[in-house]
Amino acid sequence: MKKSFFACISLSLFTAAALAACSGDSASTKVLDNPETPENLDNPEKTSFYAGSVSGSVEAESYLEGAKVELFELTGDMERTGKSVTGDIDAAGKYMVVADSFTTPYAEVVVSGMAQWPCSGAKKDSWISAVVDVTKDSSVNLNFFTSFASAKTKSLVKDKGETFAEARSEER
């Protein structure tokens, strides 16, 4: 029993890694090195706004009815600003979310809700995420590894003072 469980977990991780390596397009890895900084957040007429949509699929888990996808705006220091938009996710794990007035290009796409794990069939409350640049990353397939890479990117920007582009190059 234990051997088959570990074999199933190993196969799932290998499959997720293979899919992550093959998924997306090369444009999804581009980021802004020096994004525009809004001149005056109190005056919307002088503020730069960023828009974009992010879509893709969630790999390795099957999210059940009621799961949601949300795009959280991030500051240049990778902190949530409090602004977010929700999108749609279907039973097959395909999602889409659109941002039309973020004041920074950085965001975190998060899929959360009840998920059915592929090996055990257990239903667990779960989330999976990726840090993106909404002006460049239009197709992002989420998996276990994107969550880990995003946490590393956030840490490098916040704790080590690297730019978003430098931190993202570390995760590749």
Side-chain angles (χ1 to χ4, degrees), residues 137-159:
D137 300 324
S138 61
S139 177
V140 178
N141 293 327
L142 302 174
N143 58 51
F144 295 115
F145 302 106
T146 59
S147 291
F148 294 130
S150 292
K152 181 180 178 184
T153 297
K154 285 178 168 182
S155 175
L156 290 171
V157 170
K158 188 175 180 177
D159 301 333

Side-chain angles (χ1 to χ4, degrees), residues 12-116:
S12 294
L13 290 174
F14 175 77
T15 303
L19 290 171
C22 297
S23 63
D25 56 25
S26 60
S28 68
T29 61
K30 296 179 184 173
V31 295
L32 290 175
D33 288 323
N34 296 309
E36 278 186 48
T37 302
E39 295 173 15
N40 186 347
L41 294 176
D42 296 328
N43 186 350
E45 293 177 8
K46 293 186 177 183
T47 301
S48 298
F49 290 103
Y50 297 89
S53 67
V54 181
S55 63
S57 64
V58 180
E59 301 163 357
E61 298 178 24
S62 297
Y63 279 86
L64 305 173
E65 187 175 331
K68 67 177 183 174
V69 61
E70 196 164 5
L71 192 66
F72 295 92
E73 181 181 45
L74 300 175
T75 65
D77 291 332
M78 302 290 105
E79 295 291 332
R80 290 184 179 175
T81 65
K83 186 173 190 174
S84 68
V85 292
T86 58
D88 297 318
I89 183 170
D90 64 20
K94 303 278 186 214
Y95 74 89
M96 181 172 183
V97 63
V98 178
D100 62 359
S101 62
F102 280 5
T103 56
T104 74
Y106 309 121
E108 182 175 21
V109 59
V110 178
V111 172
S112 62
M114 291 301 290
Q116 185 165 0

Side-chain angles (χ1 to χ4, degrees), residues 117-136:
W117 288 72
C119 291
S120 67
K123 295 177 183 174
K124 305 253 182 201
D125 193 29
S126 182
W127 63 270
I128 201 163
S129 69
V131 175
V132 298
D133 176 337
V134 296
T135 64
K136 304 291 181 189

